[in-house]
Amino acid sequence: MSYTSFSIGRPGRAYDGVAMGSDQWNALITRQFEILGEGNAETIVGGFAAGIGKFINVNTYPDVESSSRVIARLAAEQLFEVESSGPFVSTEDMMKLMAS
């Protein structure tokens, strides 16, 4: 069963002092997307939320274990510091849960 996660975070320490667009930056971002690819992640939406100063990502994975592996790899390689990550629940589904 697929799993959709909602993650909030910031670029990891691996990016510290690295100029955007440089060869080093390109290698880091390439590696970050490789890790997502290895986890069979499909990004539904991703972007910067200026109100909280963090990146928001909604990704779908084949299962929860794939999501956990991706987060662990990104953290281990210091590519992304996850502040919060968990299941994404649609508003309609949450309202049904809350009403029961």
Side-chain angles (χ1 to χ4, degrees), residues 10-65:
R10 64 177 291 285
R13 296 184 58 112
Y15 288 96
D16 288 357
V18 176
M20 189 161 136
S22 68
D23 289 343
Q24 186 179 5
W25 186 87
N26 287 329
L28 291 171
I29 199 75
T30 296
R31 179 62 185 140
Q32 189 165 335
F33 283 108
E34 285 173 353
I35 292 169
L36 288 163
E38 291 165 5
N40 294 309
E42 178 185 343
T43 300
I44 306 303
V45 66
F48 187 75
I52 62 171
K54 305 282 181 179
F55 285 91
I56 305 293
N57 297 293
V58 178
N59 294 320
T60 298
Y61 297 89
D63 49 48
V64 70
E65 292 81 15

Side-chain angles (χ1 to χ4, degrees), residues 7-12 15 32 55 57 74-75 78-82:
S7 299
I8 302 170
R10 64 177 291 285
Y15 288 96
Q32 189 165 335
F55 285 91
N57 297 293
L74 292 173
Q78 297 184 350
L79 294 169
F80 195 70
E81 292 181 11
V82 176

